[in-house]
Amino acid sequence: MLTLEDSARVAGHARWLETRLFEVLGSWVTVEADAAAKVLWSTHSRRHATAAQIWRDRQPRVAHLDRVALTVPAGPGVGALVDALAGLVEPSATAARLVAVARVVEPRRLAAYGQRVDQAHPLADGPVVRWARFLLVDAATCRAGAEDLLGDHLVGPGGREGAGDTEARLAACLADPADLLGLTGHRPS
């Protein structure tokens, strides 16, 4: 179970992550060459904006903690991952962007949000649990949408190899999916 202060920090980390994903995926819309992927990034970007608002509204207000100051990446790996995502702006990087979302970002969001639900106190964290479960379904939907489009972009020479390289490079930013929200030191007993 997380303390009130830890809950505020985790919500701040989640809010930061979702805000940055909203911004990064939104920026991909302007460079995307594939029309279906362009729609996907636009849709996913708006979903991340909604998730950022959900975390903002569920971030505990603790007198001695500044909510804005807590809205930061959970660690350097999270910042590095988001920076790497922001760098995927070449119009020809559709497959890399799809791999990033389908095989790196969304699986880690699913794992981190699932861990947050597992650590929740049934009474104190009721609103967080309710919305985190919604976000879990949303993350699974985002992952499936990106994975569906990815198959079309892996054909041809180097398609699968390039996807594997992108996945490995991005996955190396986070040793543990729990790092995404700063939950690594808060394992359920």
Side-chain angles (χ1 to χ4, degrees):
M1 204 166 48
L2 300 177
T3 66
L4 189 60
E5 289 83 0
D6 288 336
S7 291
R9 284 184 191 92
V10 168
H13 297 325
R15 178 180 169 194
W16 180 89
L17 174 69
E18 296 294 352
T19 299
R20 287 296 292 133
L21 290 173
F22 158 68
E23 294 165 352
V24 169
L25 273 64
S27 74
W28 290 353
V29 174
T30 63
V31 298
E32 183 57 61
D34 182 283
K38 187 180 284 271
V39 170
L40 186 76
W41 305 141
S42 178
T43 302
H44 286 201
S45 175
R46 287 191 309 270
R47 287 177 173 202
H48 289 297
T50 299
Q53 184 65 39
I54 287 168
W55 284 111
R56 180 191 167 280
D57 292 346
R58 271 129 203 98
Q59 189 173 19
R61 289 170 174 81
V62 182
H64 62 281
L65 296 176
D66 179 358
R67 292 173 69 198
V68 175
L70 295 177
T71 304
V72 295
V78 179
L81 174 62
V82 173
D83 288 346
L85 294 173
L88 297 175
V89 293
E90 292 298 318
S92 62
T94 301
R97 288 187 286 271
L98 290 166
V99 164
V101 169
R103 299 191 179 163
V104 179
V105 174
E106 295 306 336
R108 281 157 182 75
R109 275 181 72 221
L110 282 163
Y113 287 167
Q115 185 174 339
R116 179 61 184 101
V117 168
D118 291 344
Q119 293 177 353
H121 184 279
L123 297 176
D125 292 325
V128 170
V129 170
R130 184 166 74 88
W131 282 103
R133 287 184 177 145
F134 166 80
L135 293 172
L136 282 165
V137 171
D138 198 57
T141 301
C142 289
R143 180 176 187 254
E147 192 68 50
D148 286 347
L149 277 180
L150 181 58
D152 296 339
H153 290 274
L154 293 182
V155 294
R160 292 195 190 283
E161 182 179 303
D165 292 346
T166 298
E167 183 177 354
R169 181 174 54 84
L170 295 174
C173 295
L174 291 175
D176 184 332
D179 293 343
L180 202 59
L181 300 181
L183 293 168
T184 305
H186 301 283
R187 297 275 183 218
S189 6

